[in-house]
Structures are given as C-alpha cells and as structure tokens.
Amino acid sequence: MTQDDIRRAFLDEVIRVAPDIDPAAIAGTDHLQDDLGLDSMDVLNLVIALSARFGVEIPEADYPRIATPDLAAAYLAEKTRG
Amino acid sequence: MSVFAMPSLGADMEAGKLVEWLVKPGDRVRHGDVVAVVETQKGAIEIEVFEDGTVEKLLATLGQTLPVGAPLAVIGGEAVTVAAPPPVETVAAAPEPLASPVPVQPPPAAGIAASPAARARAAELGVDLAGVKGSGPGGAIVFADVVPSAQAAPKPPDREALLAEMRRAIAAAMTRSKREIPHYYVTHTIDLGAATDWLAATTAGRPPETRLLMGALLARAVTLAAHEVPAMNGHFGTDGFAPADRVHLGLAVALRGGGLVAPAILDAETLDLTALMAAMRDLTARTRAGRLRSSEMSMATLTFSALGEAGVEAMAGIIVPPQVALVTAGAPQPMALVKDGAVVARPAVTLTLAADHRVSDGRLGARFLTLIDTHLQAPETL
C-alpha cells in the first residue's frame, strides 16, 4: 500500500464518520477537529474504523499523530510497515 | 381500528415529507416497528408505529408533506383508540439492541438515508436522492455521493434556504420555550480529578471500541441524578408535569453546516458506562448520516449538551419543550479550586442547569447538580 493509497483510505474513513464534509474541500494540513469540525465522538469512531481497516493499534497517546491527513498518512504508513 | 397519525418529531420540527412506506395493507405491525420514512431538514427519520395490529389502509401518499398529527394509515386489531404520539410513561419503543462493545451499528437498509449535508446539496443541485447510490454507513447517501446529474435542472431551494429553514424552526421552538417556560438557572463547578484519574487508568489498555470519553462519564452522572430527582425528568403537557420513570437522555449534536439535533438515548438509566458510551457513539454517527427514529426525536425526558469541543467555560441553555430541564457542560479544563484552604489547579467542569419553575425551584436544582457532583467523585460506581 503506497502512502497515497493510505491517504485515500484515511479520507474514506473520515467521510464515513463525517458524511457531511465535502471530500474535495479537505486539505492535507486540515486539522480534523479545529478545521473539519469533528468532535471527540467522531474521532473515536474514526479510530475504531482505522484500527479495523489497517489492523493497527492506535493508542490514545497517538491521536495527535492522525490529526491531519498528512500526519495520518505518514503515521499509518509507518505502523503498517512495522 | 385506529388511525395511525404522524408522530411528533421534536419541538422544532412541524412536518416531514413522506418518502417511503415500509408496509402495505394486510401487513401485521408491532409496537416499535418502522413503518415509514419521512425526510426533514435534519435528515431522514424513521417513523415507528406505537401499537400492534394489521395495516388496513394507507392514508398518506409518497411525496406528501405531513404535519405532526396528520393521518398516515388505518391500523386494525387490538388497538381501539386513536394512536397519538407516545406518552412519556410508555415503555420505550424498541430501542436499538446495544451490544456494548460493538462499534456503530449499521442502520437498517431501508428508505432513503441521507446526511443533512447530502440533502442540502441534492436540493441545491436539483438531484433526486432516490436515484443516488449511498456509500455511507448502511448505504446512507453522503455529501460526496451527490453529484450534479446532466438532466437535472438546478432548482431552488438551495443549501442556504434549507439551513435558513432549520434556523427558523429552531428559533420558533426556542421562542415558544422562552415564552411558556419560566426558566431558572443554577451553576456548579465540579472537581474532575477523581474522574480524570479513573478514566486514564481504565481506558489505557482498552481497544478503541470500548474506550470511554469524559463526556460519557458526565452523561452517566446526569442520567443517574435525573433518575433520582423526578422533577427534572419528564414532560410538561396540557395536564401539567408528568415525571418519567425512565430516563431518555437527549444528547445535543451540532450539525457541521449549522443547526442542532438532540435525539434521545432511550432508557439511558439501564445502560452501564460502556454501553452508554457505545450508544452515544452510535447516536452521533446516525445523526451525521441522517438516520434517526421518530421515538428518538420526540421522547427525550431531559437534554444534556456538552460544549467540550468549543473550549468555553459554561453556557446557559434553553429548555427543549415539553421537557423541563437542560444540563449544559462547558469544556473540562484545569481550574483554580480551593482544597483544604489552598488554591490548587484541578481538572474541572462547570455545569449549568436550566430548569422549569412551574415544576421545581432553585433549591431542588441545586440538589440535582450536587448529586451529579457526588456521582463524579466516585467514578468507579458509575
């Protein structure tokens, strides 16, 4: 899975938990909570979905590392490689 | 034989457009069955029937915009009275089975499920949602699914108009609340030290499906206190106040495009902390996807609104009729509290109760908030 695939999959899941966001309007540096308006319930639903999709464990301490699409793509690439 | 009428969809919704019948004449229905789907500004809402019987005749036709109380169908059978929106005392209509550790349950694949944003965009672009394939939870149509179709003529009302309509409906409901309900307010700051430590220790090793958020602890403490102070939990109707013996906890969910929905978690007092947390996640996801049930829209006996994401300290809210109380929480954050004569920084939250003076007074409101405080000091018992 390339980092681009990972980014697409991540955005897929973001849209799944927050279907009222226009995917075309999401920038790589957009912050899930501050810019896209996800609340903590949405973030938890996202973490559950990402854990299932990528088969990785995302502890609470790592939430800041999936806070934007850019950060998340790098983080998930690193986790799935590991 | 009875006429099944359009149930209430909450204080700020007066009508819905019938988009699907899930039953036909001759079908047997049971209390709690979803029989129709209506489209509203706040997403599709599944209409449940509140009696057992056989569908004799459908009175409403697809595409019709139906006000609350409009006849929908004739139901024959055991029932003899005209069906009305369920009274508060009624046992909850078939709540979604909540196997606690499971992630969000896919909504039933029936009717046109679409998120409020998808609905707004469809209206803007003149797209018929019936022809759109959904990629959201349970096949719900989400924003990205709605693309301009070549043959569809763009037509108003646009997105702004839909949002303006929702804003107008909220304003009407809140104006009515302020006109009819003599509000009083009580504010209390609660030390969350014990709850924060317990939460960190408990959640650390858990898989995300069973992780807890502070919001769930607050909601659980509010639910327990509401069960203990009946004057905060129920509906005020034409015959005065009727306390409820169940706690259907309304949960305010902000919609991203603007506006607000406060669907209820039915029988919240029967859910332990983990189950309540799962119910909160499920309700949030279904609100976003535009897939709520009529009972969830109308049966809340008390509403809880947390402004944790906004970072503010406190908000005094307006009661949602026919309820008699609303609890708002500011963001949990470090505050300067006095402990044993010394000022210390502690994680804390400020709760504000808005309550109905026709039913209770400030002393009882104060007792209610201190009960919430007491529960939060013993998080292991929540």
Side-chain angles (χ1 to χ4, degrees):
Chain A
M1 217 181 190
T2 70
Q3 196 148 325
D4 270 356
D5 295 335
I6 291 173
R7 172 189 297 266
R8 258 193 301 278
F10 173 79
L11 288 175
D12 256 15
E13 298 301 340
V14 169
I15 296 305
R16 213 175 279 274
V17 299
D20 40 358
I21 293 177
D22 178 0
I26 301 177
T29 54
D30 276 352
H31 191 281
L32 293 179
Q33 287 173 283
D34 299 343
D35 298 316
L36 301 177
L38 265 65
D39 66 20
S40 47
M41 289 290 162
D42 297 325
V43 170
L44 188 49
N45 279 332
L46 176 64
V47 167
I48 292 169
L50 293 173
S51 305
R53 181 152 181 170
F54 290 94
V56 298
E57 193 191 326
I58 306 173
E60 275 190 341
D62 284 354
Y63 288 4
R65 301 189 59 191
I66 58 161
T68 71
D70 287 350
L71 287 171
Y75 172 76
L76 291 169
E78 179 191 314
K79 290 284 262 191
T80 46
R81 216 179 302 125
Chain B
M1 195 181 86
S2 70
V3 173
F4 171 61
M6 177 81 165
S8 165
L9 302 173
D12 59 2
M13 216 127 44
E14 287 148 13
K17 182 178 164 191
L18 182 66
V19 292
E20 184 166 12
W21 272 116
L22 300 176
V23 293
K24 55 184 187 312
D27 285 355
R28 286 199 59 77
V29 291
R30 297 190 45 161
H31 180 105
D33 284 353
V34 174
V35 295
V37 179
V38 299
E39 216 176 70
T40 74
Q41 314 132 9
K42 298 189 177 182
I45 294 173
E46 299 173 339
I47 303 294
E48 299 147 297
V49 68
F50 294 101
E51 61 195 298
D52 296 346
T54 303
V55 178
E56 295 196 346
K57 191 175 179 208
L58 301 181
L59 300 173
T61 52
L62 296 183
Q64 250 186 306
T65 295
L66 301 156
V68 172
L72 293 177
V74 177
I75 310 248
E78 299 90 329
V80 285
T81 48
V82 170
V88 177
E89 300 77 21
T90 313
V91 174
E96 178 115 334
L98 284 164
S100 36
V102 242
V104 174
Q105 314 225 348
I112 300 177
S115 73
R119 238 161 252 291
R121 192 178 202 199
E124 191 178 348
L125 298 173
V127 170
D128 183 359
L129 286 175
V132 178
K133 187 170 158 32
S135 66
I141 298 166
V142 301
F143 191 97
D145 298 328
V146 182
V147 291
S149 64
Q151 69 273 31
K155 59 171 186 195
D158 57 13
R159 185 180 172 80
E160 270 76 37
L162 206 69
L163 288 171
E165 198 187 326
M166 191 193 306
R167 179 61 49 207
R168 189 196 53 74
I170 290 171
M174 295 299 98
T175 302
R176 184 189 139 208
S177 172
K178 277 278 179 169
R179 193 172 57 233
E180 293 177 3
I181 302 176
H183 287 63
Y184 70 82
Y185 299 93
V186 186
T187 296
H188 183 54
T189 294
I190 295 173
D191 184 340
L192 288 181
T196 304
D197 293 347
W198 181 86
L199 188 61
T202 306
T203 283
R206 290 192 179 191
E209 292 82 2
T210 57
R211 272 175 208 164
L212 301 170
L213 294 174
M214 183 60 82
L217 271 69
L218 297 176
R220 176 71 180 147
V222 169
T223 301
L224 290 172
H227 207 222
E228 291 155 350
V229 184
M232 300 296 156
N233 185 56
H235 284 180
F236 196 101
T238 45
D239 297 329
F241 177 62
D245 49 6
R246 322 302 297 262
V247 180
H248 303 315
L249 185 69
L251 207 63
V253 180
L255 298 176
R256 233 173 305 276
L260 187 75
V261 190
I265 293 174
L266 304 180
D267 301 318
E269 85 283 0
T270 64
L271 306 177
D272 67 16
L273 197 50
T274 303
L276 181 63
M277 177 69 206
M280 289 169 79
R281 282 199 292 104
D282 171 59
L283 200 67
T284 305
R286 284 191 295 114
T287 300
R288 301 256 181 261
R291 204 62 184 172
L292 296 167
R293 297 198 184 84
S294 55
S295 56
E296 294 172 324
M297 300 302 288
S298 63
M299 287 177 70
T301 53
L302 168 85
T303 295
F304 174 58
S305 174
L307 289 173
E309 323 297 329
V312 296
E313 275 169 44
M315 180 183 83
I318 301 173
I319 298 166
V320 185
Q323 297 159 48
V324 297
L326 168 79
V327 180
T328 43
Q333 57 196 297
M335 292 189 204
L337 302 185
V338 176
K339 294 281 162 190
D340 304 322
V343 177
V344 290
R346 300 281 287 173
V349 68
T350 298
L351 298 187
T352 302
L353 166 74
D356 187 337
H357 240 318
R358 296 172 300 181
V359 179
S360 64
D361 54 30
R363 177 178 284 271
L364 196 61
R367 187 168 110 73
F368 178 64
L369 288 186
T370 51
L371 271 171
I372 295 173
D373 189 343
T374 305
H375 286 300
L376 287 167
Q377 299 318 314
E380 69 284 355
T381 66
L382 285 174

